[in-house]
Amino acid sequence: MRIGLLAGSGSLPRQVHDALLNEGHEVVPVMLGDAQPILPDATICPLDRPGRLIRHLRAKGATKLIMIGRLERPIVSTLRPDLKGWRILPKIIKGLRQGDDGLLRAVAQIFEDEGFEIINPLAYVPNLSLAAGSFGVPNVAHLEDINRGWALLDDLSSHDIGQACVVRAGNVIAIEAAEGTDAMLERVADLSDGRSGRQRQPSGVLVKKPKSAQDMRFDLPAIGPRTMELVAQAGLAGICVAADGFVLAEPEASKKAVAEYDLFLLIRDHS
C-alpha cells in the first residue's frame, strides 16, 4: 500500500516512516512547513501551499495519509497562500483559534474534503504502542494515585482539556492544559524542586490517556525519553498510560531511561 506521510517535527515521523517500510508499505514522505528533522527523500511543502501538496500526493498515488509529529503553528501574517490555500485559509484560521487540536482537525478535514483518507498509524504499525504490562513495579500508594488520576481524566475528558495529570499522595498536583505534557511536568518540578530539593524521595505519578472524543488518527498521546527525564526531574515515581492508546517514541531509549531514572512505566487497559 502507498501511504502519504505528512510529517511534523520530532523523532516520531522517522519512527513511523521506518516502521511502515518494514511492514512492506510504500511511503510518500512530506515535511510540513519547517518541520525537522527531514525524512529521507521527503518533499518539503509550506503549510500555505496545500494545492502543491495535494497535486504531489495524487501524482504519487497516495490515497491514504498519516499525520504524525509536532505541527508548528504558522504565523498568519507571514502566510503566502496558493489558490487552494486562499480557499481554505478561513478553515486554518478557525482551527488556529481552537488550539493545537483544532488546527489538526482543520488540516485533516481539508485533506478528507479532497478525497484522502486519514488513517491511524497504529492500525498499520501496531508495534508503535505497547499492550498492557509494566516496566518496574508500582507500589500500593502509586496505584492509588494512578486510580485517582485515571478517574480524573475520565471526568475531564468531555471538556476536551488535556491528556495528562500528575497525582501525588492522592492530591492532584497538575492538569495538562494547552501547554502540553512537557510544560506541565516542568511546572511540577518547580513545585517540588525535583528529587534534589524538597521532594527527596520519588512519589507521585504522571497519568496520560486519550480523551473520550480524541481523534486517534492524528492526535496520538506520546511519551519518550524526554518524558522520562522530566518525570524524574519532577520527583515522580513513574508513569501510567493506556494500552494501545499511545505512541512510545524511541522505544529502546525510552525503556533505558525508565531503568536509568529508576521509574516504573505501567501500561494499563482502558477499562
Side-chain angles (χ1 to χ4, degrees):
M1 180 182 300
R2 187 167 295 170
I3 298 174
L5 182 60
L6 307 185
S9 294
S11 63
L12 281 174
R14 181 58 186 265
Q15 190 173 329
V16 173
H17 173 274
D18 292 352
L20 287 169
L21 291 178
N22 288 338
E23 291 290 328
H25 301 295
E26 295 181 61
V27 182
V28 182
V30 177
M31 307 307 302
L32 296 176
D34 297 324
Q36 296 287 335
I38 297 173
L39 297 174
D41 302 318
T43 295
I44 299 173
C45 187
L47 289 171
D48 54 0
R49 307 294 171 86
R52 190 174 84 186
L53 174 53
I54 289 167
R55 288 193 299 272
H56 172 71
L57 291 170
R58 285 177 175 157
K60 293 292 186 179
T63 58
K64 297 182 185 294
L65 305 180
I66 286 176
M67 296 170 53
I68 194 76
R70 187 174 65 255
L71 189 60
E72 309 295 342
R73 293 172 64 84
I75 300 173
V76 175
S77 61
T78 65
L79 298 178
R80 299 293 183 267
D82 57 15
L83 182 59
K84 177 73 70 175
W86 278 116
R87 292 173 180 168
I88 66 174
L89 190 58
K91 296 179 182 178
I92 294 294
I93 292 174
K94 182 180 179 180
L96 283 168
R97 289 172 178 165
Q98 295 172 346
D100 291 345
D101 288 355
L103 176 59
L104 288 170
R105 282 193 293 267
V107 172
Q109 187 61 57
I110 288 163
F111 284 104
E112 288 181 325
D113 290 345
E114 293 291 333
F116 295 96
E117 180 185 356
I118 308 296
I119 60 177
N120 183 341
L122 294 182
Y124 290 82
V125 279
N127 60 357
L128 293 172
S129 191
L130 294 173
S134 68
F135 299 87
V137 181
N139 62 30
V140 173
H142 301 149
L143 292 174
E144 290 175 352
D145 284 344
I146 287 168
N147 289 336
R148 177 79 190 276
W150 199 268
L152 173 67
L153 292 177
D154 282 341
D155 290 342
L156 293 176
S157 187
S158 62
H159 299 284
D160 196 23
I161 291 176
Q163 304 173 353
C165 65
V166 172
V167 182
R168 174 180 284 144
N171 298 308
V172 178
I173 302 300
I175 298 172
E176 178 188 352
E179 82 276 35
T181 304
D182 286 2
M184 178 192 69
L185 289 169
E186 289 169 356
R187 281 197 286 120
V188 175
D190 289 340
L191 289 171
S192 66
D193 283 347
R195 298 185 183 187
S196 61
R198 297 191 303 275
Q199 181 66 32
R200 294 187 181 280
Q201 293 298 320
S203 66
V205 295
L206 167 67
V207 183
K208 186 164 184 171
K209 67 191 294 279
K211 295 170 281 189
S212 58
Q214 190 155 329
D215 196 325
M216 299 288 282
R217 297 174 303 163
F218 54 79
D219 191 15
L220 284 166
I223 60 173
R226 177 62 175 161
T227 313
M228 317 309 173
E229 178 184 2
L230 291 172
V231 163
Q233 289 176 358
L236 304 179
I239 303 167
C240 177
V241 290
D244 300 318
F246 73 104
V247 173
L248 183 62
E250 303 176 58
E252 294 309 315
S254 291
K255 294 172 186 176
K256 182 178 179 182
V258 168
E260 286 183 349
Y261 291 118
D262 195 22
L263 303 171
F264 67 81
L265 171 60
L266 176 65
I267 305 101
R268 172 174 166 168
D269 283 325
H270 287 264
S271 59

